[in-house]
Each structure stands twice: as C-alpha cells, then as structure tokens.
Amino acid sequence: GGTMLAGACAGASYKVVSWPFDLLLVRSTKSCERGGPLRELAEHSRRMVAELGWRRALLPPAGVVASTLPASALGLLLYEALR
C-alpha cells in the first residue's frame, strides 16, 4: 500500500513540475518544424503565458495528473518487487 502511494505521489509530482517545461519543448519544436527560427526561451515563455494564462501554463489539467497515478504506482511496486 505504502509503496503504491509513494509511486503515485512521485508520478504526480513529476508531472506537475515538468508540465511547463514540456509545453515549452513542444511549442519550440513546432516553431522549428514550421521553419521559423528557434527563439529564446524567455520569448517562448512570454508567448505561452499570454496565450494560455498563468494557471494553464504552469499547472497541468487534473485529468493529466490523475492519469499518471496508476502507472506510477504500479511502476514503483514492480521495481520494489524485482529489486
């Protein structure tokens, strides 16, 4: 029980912390695919916040976080079992 809870918490924490960086990566990659120059990180960040707002730019939707819980819980449980 405790191992699965720890795994779920770790997965949710990772998703919340990495969310803004993942968004920036996707947006900058799309910019390069369209042939546009790769702009500085600050410019991408400003544009992302202007388009999405602070909350949506910095925090993932609840469904995205919830979807990480089962896989992360099971992953840590399997790691502990096979260790």
Side-chain angles (χ1 to χ4, degrees):
T3 300
M4 291 183 72
L5 180 60
C9 289
S13 299
Y14 169 78
K15 184 56 74 173
V16 168
V17 170
S18 68
W19 180 257
F21 302 108
D22 289 343
L23 283 180
L24 282 172
L25 176 65
V26 168
R27 293 170 75 84
S28 64
T29 302
K30 284 183 180 179
S31 175
C32 288
E33 288 174 357
R34 288 193 308 254
L38 180 61
R39 294 183 178 90
E40 293 182 17
L41 181 62
E43 184 177 337
H44 277 295
S45 301
R46 278 192 295 275
R47 188 177 306 139
M48 184 176 74
V49 171
E51 291 175 12
L52 301 176
W54 281 103
R55 185 175 184 276
R56 286 184 54 208
L58 295 178
L59 296 174
V64 171
V65 176
S67 70
T68 65
L69 299 179
S72 298
L74 185 59
L76 188 58
L77 182 65
L78 288 174
Y79 170 79
E80 287 292 321
L82 296 174
R83 185 165 68 121

